[in-house]
Amino acid sequence: SQVQEAVPPVSVMCRIRPLQSYPEAYSHDRCSLAIENQDIIVEDVVGKQRKFRVDRVLEGSLLQEDLFAAAAPWIESFLRGASACVLAYGATGSGKTHTLQGAAADAGIPAVPGLSHHALRRVIEGPGGQPVKLSIVEVYCDQIRDLLSTNCTAAGGSVVLQCSRRDGQGRMVLETQEVLVNSFNEAEEVLQRGYAARATEATLC
């Protein structure tokens, strides 16, 4: 389709977390960040500069809806039968969870949906939408954990999956728990259940 042809196979976007959103403890750290078109220039505490080029820079002033608009071409391509993956990568505290999961309502402040919520609403309830099966896994300390499994390990954690089987095309097959959802509300409940089972501490292993 024309949409699929217009979507590049891989696109790297960098979302800038607003500096004012960091804890006050970091406010005195010397760090310089500059954006020149698609280049991001970072200067560390000793004055050394590094330059990174990406396909698009998503500055800190953008809303979650703006982020979804940036990812929308891949979601539309998925609805037309293509495969799509959104990978959030970054250091602990850089905003990966907020980007994908959003923020819950707090002290009168309304909830802020994440990219996963926007995408699921479009896939299920948008034009051409349909019920979907959801599975949620987490890669943590070199283990793949099933966050929707109704079983638990002896220590009370999520089930660890083994990568021991591949399909006819050589793709890895995981025996994950799949949940069929017919509405966005059902999907949101499944997301919250999966998110609640995530490891929340920093990755130190």
Side-chain angles (χ1 to χ4, degrees):
S1 67
Q2 293 181 348
V3 173
Q4 288 175 318
E5 293 174 355
V7 175
V10 177
S11 182
V12 179
M13 304 184 193
C14 180
R15 187 180 197 187
I16 307 298
R17 176 175 174 176
L19 295 179
Q20 63 269 25
S21 69
Y22 282 92
E24 187 176 353
Y26 296 98
S27 61
H28 301 296
D29 290 350
R30 182 177 180 273
C31 181
S32 174
L33 183 147
I35 300 173
E36 298 178 357
N37 299 319
Q38 295 171 286
D39 292 333
I40 301 172
I41 304 170
V42 180
E43 181 180 318
D44 62 20
V45 293
V46 297
K48 182 179 178 181
Q49 288 190 349
R50 299 184 65 185
K51 179 182 289 188
F52 305 88
R53 171 160 290 188
V54 296
D55 295 303
R56 181 174 177 180
V57 177
L58 304 170
E59 298 197 40
S61 60
L62 296 182
L63 304 176
Q64 297 284 77
E65 291 80 4
D66 299 318
L67 183 69
F68 172 69
W74 285 268
I75 297 170
E76 296 299 324
S77 180
F78 165 75
L79 286 169
R80 288 167 170 78
S83 297
C85 172
V86 176
L87 172 66
Y89 178 84
T92 299
S94 59
K96 301 182 299 297
T97 299
H98 178 75
T99 295
L100 294 178
Q101 181 180 342
D106 181 49
I109 301 175
V112 179
L115 176 59
S116 58
H117 297 78
H118 285 292
L120 279 173
R121 184 183 291 277
R122 168 65 188 92
V123 171
I124 298 172
E125 298 183 348
Q130 57 188 310
V132 297
K133 288 183 178 180
L134 298 179
S135 60
I136 304 178
V137 300
E138 172 184 58
V139 179
Y140 185 75
C141 289
D142 296 326
Q143 294 181 332
I144 303 177
R145 304 167 63 232
D146 188 349
L147 301 185
L148 295 182
S149 175
T150 54
N151 300 317
C152 294
T153 63
S158 299
V159 171
V160 176
L161 302 172
Q162 302 300 321
C163 309
S164 58
R165 189 164 66 90
R166 294 183 178 274
D167 64 12
Q169 296 178 317
R171 296 174 299 192
M172 183 175 64
V173 177
L174 297 176
E175 300 294 340
T176 59
Q177 179 75 34
E178 293 184 336
V179 180
L180 177 66
V181 294
N182 296 286
S183 68
F184 173 72
N185 288 337
E186 292 180 6
E188 193 167 34
E189 292 177 1
V190 173
L191 285 181
Q192 296 304 325
R193 176 153 59 94
Y195 288 147
R198 291 174 57 244
T200 56
E201 60 272 10
T203 307
L204 301 177
C205 45

